[in-house]
Amino acid sequence: MNKNTVAHLNYLVIGHVTRDIHESGNTLGGTAAYSAVCARALGRVPAILTAGEKGHSLQELDGLLIKWKDSPHFSTFENIETDHGRKQILHAIAEQLLPEDVPLGWRNSPIVHLGPVAGEVNPEIIDIFPDSFIGLTPQGWMRTRDENNVVHFQPWTDSDRLLQRADAVVLSIEDVMGNEDLIQSYVDRTNILVVTEGHNGARVYWNGDVRHFSAPNVPVVDPTGAGDIFAAAFFDRLETTRSPWESARRAVQIASRSITRVGLAGVPTIQEIRSFQIEVIEGK
């Protein structure tokens, strides 16, 4: 990647690219991967700060600017469907991402998206971006694993300072185990909060108001990464327009299309995103 590209970097995602284990094999995943690929389709110049061991295929991320922090492990998840819902196993976690890991030339990115998947983003990293639009997808700060590596919910520590600094926060109803009191506590402490609700769309809290945005009815092939795609589309539009309502309407359309394909292939193409823009304008 040349210096000119670095100079035009305008969407930085910080978080682990993951190895996701499926019955049919392994794929790349993680907020960093899904959001960066989506940001590129939206016309941004994205970069990823992540960590992991060398030797894994990164074909899906070809062309993206990536800084890898060497680690003895690659963050590895396995999702197992059971009669009682999805069981998530976290087999390994790569090294934590610290403020000093961020290249100096990346610290002026207009958008910084903090997207931990396993608590790997040090909260102090937010302090080195005083002038950036900060978007948070905090699910990784709400996860812990037990002695059998099974993932469970945990309270989000350091939430106060992060919520207060963030320009917008996107989380799913599953991230907070459906706890509406917890959602309200986040609403009270941050500027804009979005709660995604799968096939039901999303609700946006802003300026004392809350609005719901329904998702189109589409066939579900693979919902993985839809929330990360929503977040990238939302942050991208919000940083430009400062309109949470317009941003959410567009992001729901883009994220809904993503669930009709498997894995990172579900990220909408540039052509599809252009069609969504036309649909949103005509649907107003």
Side-chain angles (χ1 to χ4, degrees), residues 7-233:
H8 290 87
L9 160 66
N10 56 20
Y11 195 108
L12 172 59
V13 196
I14 300 177
H16 286 165
V17 173
T18 65
R19 181 167 63 109
D20 294 348
I21 300 174
H22 309 280
E23 290 184 0
S24 57
N26 301 334
T27 60
L28 290 184
T31 296
Y34 280 96
S35 294
V37 173
C38 182
R40 179 171 59 185
L42 290 163
R44 294 278 179 174
V45 180
I48 298 173
L49 172 64
T50 187
E53 60 181 334
K54 296 179 180 179
H56 287 271
S57 172
L58 303 174
Q59 183 176 353
E60 298 98 324
L61 304 181
D62 280 353
L64 291 177
L65 181 61
I66 305 175
K67 181 188 176 184
W68 284 89
K69 180 177 182 179
D70 287 340
S71 173
H73 303 290
F74 204 94
S75 290
T76 304
F77 284 90
E78 181 179 7
N79 294 322
I80 302 172
E81 298 298 329
T82 73
D83 293 339
H84 306 288
R86 187 178 69 171
K87 178 180 179 181
Q88 192 169 52
I89 310 296
L90 177 54
H91 291 284
I93 306 176
E95 294 292 319
Q96 189 177 48
L97 302 171
L98 305 172
E100 55 265 33
D101 297 323
V102 182
L104 291 177
W106 292 14
R107 299 186 183 193
N108 294 318
S109 175
I111 296 179
V112 176
H113 178 173
L114 303 185
V117 292
E120 73 276 11
V121 179
N122 186 306
E124 293 181 3
I125 213 165
I126 201 170
D127 297 327
I128 67 173
F129 302 104
D131 301 318
S132 300
F133 173 101
I134 300 291
L136 302 183
T137 48
Q139 64 173 344
W141 286 311
M142 302 180 191
R143 285 173 170 165
T144 188
R145 59 177 177 171
D146 61 24
E147 64 277 6
N148 296 315
N149 293 331
V150 178
V151 174
H152 300 282
F153 171 81
Q154 71 172 358
W156 178 14
T157 58
D158 292 313
S159 61
D160 274 344
R161 64 193 299 268
L162 292 165
L163 287 167
Q164 290 168 11
R165 169 63 183 89
D167 291 278
V169 180
V170 176
L171 52 82
S172 76
I173 192 70
E174 290 86 3
D175 291 338
V176 295
M177 308 292 288
N179 188 328
E180 295 292 341
D181 291 335
L182 187 56
I183 290 172
Q184 188 58 52
S185 76
Y186 295 158
V187 171
D188 294 340
R189 289 180 284 157
T190 200
N191 184 33
I192 299 169
L193 182 77
V194 182
V195 180
T196 60
E197 300 178 302
H199 66 275
N200 289 322
R203 48 182 142 134
V204 181
Y205 296 83
W206 177 57
N207 201 26
D209 193 7
V210 57
R211 298 186 188 180
H212 181 265
F213 297 85
S214 298
N217 186 16
V218 297
V220 179
V221 175
D222 181 10
T224 305
D228 303 318
I229 292 168
F230 176 99

Side-chain angles (χ1 to χ4, degrees), residues 261-278:
R261 298 191 291 260
V262 176
L264 284 167
V267 178
T269 64
I270 295 173
Q271 291 74 21
E272 288 173 328
I273 286 175
R274 286 173 179 166
S275 74
F276 299 149
Q277 291 171 331
I278 295 172

